[in-house]
Amino acid sequence: MTERRVRVYDGKAALANAVAARFIKRLVETLAEQDRAHVVLTGGTMGEAVLAAVRESARRDTVDWSRVTFWWGDERYLPAGDPDRNETQSRHALLDALELSPAQVKAFPALGEHADIEAAAEAYAAELAAAAPAGATHPRFDITFLGVGGDGHIASLFPDHEAIRDTQHVVLAETNSPKPPPARLTLTLPVINSSERVWLVLAGADKAGALGLALADANPHDVPVAGVSGRARTVFFVDAEAAAEVPENLLTRERFWTAAHEIPAN
């Protein structure tokens, strides 16, 4: 079973800075062991804050970014450059500062680039397959970042939607999202869980219920975040507000760490 940890920080700034430091450290270690790294990004306030903290870090350039390929876990099906697209937010927060080649930034298709959203999903699945090892349908992801909604959704996998049950596809089109816009593209849960490490970053009291249910192993069909399980490690990076309502019996030493226990990211 994957090793699962919860790391708690005093506020959103401390949370973003800590995750950024660990991300840089992990990439340096990964690239010392293999030629390339594949990273899956997320959107949202904390996803953008983590990337901005990486951009501002004094240790940013210890990473050989030319050997990192970026993907996304989901995307709003909007025109290219729309400020609500996860890709746009990620570019502004970090990617544009890294001087990456176009081949390193694997964005989901934008509205108008394909005949329809189903064709867009197929196109992204084909792009993932083209970068995959022989016999695989997608690359070996080293780190997948996820945000978590107050309802427990991850990527664009929502409670009680068919997409959270899908085990056959790599990419799906969601056309009835409960959050606007209704049209989105998303990786499926098995693809997310194939990642070596899954890092979930969440902050705020409105996320406390979802975190508690995830740690209590709720039904993933009802609470999608409860189904997340990276191959080597699953880490919940949270602020104190998000952790405030987690039942005490789940805050054991085996499954709960505070910032005081953090390994220095040197």
Side-chain angles (χ1 to χ4, degrees):
M1 183 177 178
T2 183
E3 181 180 358
R4 183 164 64 176
R5 295 185 176 185
V6 181
R7 297 187 181 274
V8 184
Y9 301 89
D10 288 338
K12 294 179 181 179
L15 171 60
N17 288 334
V19 177
R22 292 186 70 84
F23 180 49
I24 291 169
K25 182 175 184 289
R26 172 51 54 188
L27 280 181
V28 170
E29 293 171 348
T30 297
L31 292 172
E33 299 172 353
Q34 59 195 54
D35 290 338
R36 299 203 62 81
H38 290 270
V39 175
V40 179
L41 299 178
T42 187
T45 301
M46 289 311 305
E48 191 172 4
V50 169
L51 295 185
V54 173
R55 183 191 67 219
E56 298 303 319
S57 172
R59 296 184 60 81
R60 184 188 81 187
D61 293 334
T62 61
V63 177
D64 183 354
W65 295 105
S66 69
R67 296 162 58 199
V68 181
T69 300
F70 292 97
W71 305 82
W72 277 266
D74 76 317
E75 186 58 274
R76 296 166 176 86
Y77 194 51
L78 296 169
D82 189 289
D84 286 338
R85 277 178 62 91
N86 293 337
E87 175 204 358
T88 306
Q89 296 170 11
S90 299
R91 286 184 181 275
H92 289 169
L94 174 64
L95 303 187
D96 287 348
L98 299 181
E99 299 182 358
L100 305 170
S101 72
Q104 290 176 256
V105 182
K106 304 292 190 178
F108 274 98
L111 179 67
E113 293 180 353
H114 296 278
D116 54 32
I117 192 171
E118 297 291 348
E122 292 175 4
Y124 203 62
E127 191 164 12
L128 285 158
T137 58
H138 52 81
R140 176 186 174 276
F141 299 126
D142 296 287
I143 299 174
T144 290
F145 284 99
L146 291 175
V148 180
D151 61 354
H153 83 266
I154 51 166
S156 285
L157 301 173
F158 294 95
D160 299 322
H161 281 225
E162 286 302 317
I164 189 61
R165 298 176 173 85
D166 192 290
T167 61
Q168 303 300 315
H169 297 88
V170 174
V171 181
L172 287 177
E174 170 61 69
T175 58
N176 190 31
S177 165
K179 290 184 63 178
R184 296 160 175 251
L185 296 160
T186 186
L187 301 183
T188 57
L189 185 60
V191 176
I192 290 169
N193 285 344
S194 73
S195 304
E196 188 72 6
R197 287 171 169 79
V198 180
W199 289 3
L200 302 101
V201 186
L202 54 156
D206 60 320
K207 307 298 176 67
L211 176 59
L213 288 169
L215 297 177
D217 297 319
N219 186 331
H221 296 169
D222 301 323
V223 187
V225 64
V228 175
S229 181
R231 290 188 302 172
R233 184 171 296 176
T234 305
V235 185
F236 293 83
F237 295 95
V238 307
D239 73 349
E241 288 188 346
E245 297 182 18
V246 176
E248 286 295 325
N249 66 312
L250 296 179
L251 303 185
T252 62
R253 188 168 180 80
E254 288 73 30
R255 299 176 71 178
F256 179 79
W257 282 254
T258 69
H261 299 102
E262 189 75 56
I263 299 172
N266 54 16

